[in-house]
Amino acid sequence: MADCEDILYDCLKTVAEEQNYGNYTITTKAVSSGGGNYTSALYLATIQAPGKDDLKLFAKVAGVGEKMRAIEPHKIYQTESLFYNYILKKYKELEERNNVPAEYRFVTPKYYGGSDEYLKETFIFDDLTAKGFMTYDRFKPIDWEYASKGLENLARFHALSIAFSVDEPEEFEGINIFKDHSDIEKVVHFLKNIIKNAVQVTREENRDRFANFLNAFVDNNDFNKFCPPFRRPVINHGDYRSSNLMHRTKDGVLELISVDYQKLQIGNPIVDILFFILNGSDKKFRDQYFKKAFDYYYDELCKALKRFGLDPEGLYSREEFDIEVQKVLPLGLVQATFCLLIVTVETDEAPQVSEDITIEDFVVNPNTLYAERLNDIVDDYIKMGII
């Protein structure tokens, strides 16, 4: 990672100068996400200067090389740069113009800058861990306190994009992020290998119907059917799971901040909700809170829209929302089949960040936790009559 450190150091020097740190010293330390990140080399950094408070920073340097980029349609680094340099600024302007109270504003880590140079993309942020934030244990199922905060945060995020689309429709329509899901043909071989492994750990009585469902979904490229917006387009996070959320408890109150905006896409909000719930919960949670999660999200979305002076019923009625939930539910099972492999993978079995990483490196062997979580979700989907 020597090249990454050189790239990072140059960017940190720029940050030090922009923040008026004279006669500064810079220290960096490589850190691991423990299997939660596969696209970047991660670092903690400190900038020190006489008469100044230490500036504690977190940095990401692009770790994906040409092989992966050739089949990755999201343009992940360009997308994250677009979010922090353009979309987030629009969101802050909307909040300011509508006098949204501070406690209801969408919170992100402070962005200090970086580099957009191809193969050297770098992003430097405030170090949230220095303020007591941490990621949720990805092996542990979420509880309602955490889930409700996650849904509240997600609703505010989606409401901002709706407000943006109403306020500046042409600007919103022109946002250059992933909208077309037709590139799935490029990764069919990868998906088929995942399906093969998933079916092998599925309980025998469910195996055939599960295999038929997944294979038909991929063969028909049904991602195109479920991912695009039906009634109200939003900018989705695209990877909304515990590894991309930071939390802390302060004065007895749980606070949560989402990070990693590399996979933003225009779609329907149900995609993010399902991704969050199914990749973070167990059957005990879903039996009690699955329906409540959608109710809570929609209530929070309405509250957030009203802060912008918007009419939720006219823009995105509860009836329309419920119809979309039923339409998109099948996608949740597909998401879980593929993504739970990474959520549950042991750290020493996880793909390693490397410029030579390819999509086939993500065909990891299912473990016991994956089999348990997946089989429970399959049971849920059979019970709901979806497969």
Side-chain angles (χ1 to χ4, degrees):
M1 292 294 183
D3 289 343
C4 287
E5 292 175 3
D6 292 340
I7 295 166
L8 175 60
Y9 193 80
D10 287 341
C11 291
L12 289 170
K13 288 193 297 183
T14 300
V15 171
E17 292 162 4
E18 289 177 346
Q19 298 300 313
N20 298 315
Y21 274 59
N23 194 26
Y24 57 82
T25 59
I26 297 173
T27 57
T28 61
K29 176 185 177 183
V31 294
S32 170
S33 67
N37 163 73
Y38 305 97
T39 63
S40 307
L42 308 180
Y43 296 88
L44 295 179
T46 302
I47 300 177
Q48 297 174 303
K52 291 276 195 177
D53 292 335
D54 290 357
L55 190 56
K56 300 284 188 179
L57 303 170
F58 169 75
K60 304 193 298 185
V61 182
V64 172
E66 298 281 11
K67 292 179 181 178
M68 191 71 169
R69 294 182 191 227
I71 60 170
E72 173 53 71
H74 288 81
K75 297 183 178 180
I76 55 178
Y77 305 113
Q78 296 96 317
T79 298
E80 186 147 34
S81 178
L82 180 69
F83 175 74
Y84 279 103
N85 290 301
Y86 174 70
I87 296 174
L88 185 58
K89 291 179 179 178
K90 289 287 185 180
Y91 286 177
K92 290 184 180 298
E93 289 171 4
L94 278 166
E95 290 175 326
E96 191 67 28
R97 194 159 61 246
N98 287 277
N99 297 312
V100 176
E103 63 269 27
Y104 296 120
R105 296 192 179 193
F106 186 72
V107 179
T108 59
K110 181 176 179 179
Y111 177 58
Y112 284 89
S115 171
D116 289 332
E117 185 178 351
Y118 186 65
L119 295 177
K120 296 182 179 181
E121 297 92 339
T122 304
F123 302 88
I124 300 172
F125 306 96
D126 190 19
D127 175 16
L128 294 178
T129 64
K131 298 180 177 179
F133 284 89
M134 64 185 74
T135 54
Y136 198 86
D137 183 350
R138 61 188 172 89
F139 299 112
K140 177 183 175 183
I142 56 178
D143 58 20
W144 178 248
E145 181 186 26
Y146 182 89
S148 61
K149 282 293 183 181
L151 292 165
E152 180 182 301
N153 181 72
L154 186 60
R156 292 177 185 176
F157 182 64
H158 290 162
L160 278 161
S161 68
I162 294 175
F164 181 19
S165 70
V166 172
D167 191 63
E168 299 184 69
E170 292 183 2
E171 288 283 327
F172 181 83
E173 180 62 28
I175 293 175
N176 185 25
I177 58 176
F178 189 52
K179 300 178 183 180
D180 181 6
H181 299 264
S182 62
D183 287 334
I184 205 69
E185 290 89 352
K186 295 181 180 179
V187 293
V188 165
H189 183 260
F190 159 74
L191 295 176
K192 289 289 189 177
N193 283 335
I194 296 290
I195 291 171
K196 179 181 177 181
N197 287 349
V199 169
Q200 286 178 348
V201 299
T202 306
R203 284 191 288 271
E204 186 174 356
E205 63 269 25
N206 298 332
R207 193 170 293 159
D208 287 344
R209 71 163 76 182
F210 179 52
N212 291 337
F213 168 81
L214 289 178
N215 283 308
F217 198 102
V218 171
D219 291 341
N220 296 330
N221 193 9
D222 279 343
F223 293 91
N224 279 331
K225 183 188 298 184
F226 299 104
C227 291
F230 295 98
R231 171 66 175 88
R232 175 52 59 181
V234 301
I235 298 176
N236 273 329
H237 184 280
D239 197 12
Y240 198 76
R241 55 191 170 96
S242 58
S243 294
N244 290 326
L245 301 171
M246 303 288 287
H247 73 276
R248 72 177 178 186
T249 300
K250 185 177 181 181
D251 299 327
V253 177
L254 180 66
E255 300 176 1
L256 188 147
I257 298 176
S258 48
V259 298
D260 201 343
Y261 296 91
Q262 295 181 338
K263 290 206 168 184
L264 298 182
Q265 52 189 274
I266 300 291
N268 68 77
I270 316 305
V271 174
D272 269 351
I273 302 170
L274 284 171
F275 197 91
F276 176 56
I277 297 299
L278 293 180
N279 284 298
S281 68
D282 61 4
K283 184 170 179 57
K284 181 180 178 182
F285 176 93
R286 293 191 300 277
D287 285 347
Q288 187 172 357
Y289 297 114
F290 189 68
K291 182 180 183 303
K292 183 178 180 179
F294 290 96
D295 293 339
Y296 189 84
Y297 166 87
Y298 187 78
D299 287 346
E300 290 298 318
L301 180 69
C302 290
K303 292 176 185 176
L305 289 173
K306 288 176 181 177
R307 295 185 195 112
F308 294 105
L310 300 175
D311 173 26
E313 188 64 25
L315 284 170
Y316 191 36
S317 71
R318 180 59 199 254
E319 181 181 6
E320 291 168 330
F321 175 75
D322 288 341
I323 290 172
E324 286 201 358
V325 171
Q326 293 305 310
K327 283 183 176 180
V328 183
L329 272 173
L331 178 65
L333 178 55
V334 180
Q335 289 176 325
T337 301
F338 299 144
C339 299
L340 274 175
L341 277 175
I342 297 302
V343 170
T344 61
V345 67
E346 295 292 343
T347 302
D348 58 355
E349 295 290 329
Q352 299 300 305
V353 177
S354 163
E355 64 179 15
D356 293 323
I357 195 170
T358 70
I359 196 167
E360 295 300 328
D361 292 317
F362 292 88
V363 185
V364 298
N365 293 321
N367 59 24
T368 302
L369 181 58
Y370 173 82
E372 177 187 331
R373 293 268 188 95
L374 181 65
N375 275 292
D376 285 345
I377 293 174
V378 170
D379 285 344
D380 288 347
Y381 270 70
I382 290 173
K383 186 177 180 180
M384 288 188 285
I386 294 175
I387 63 172

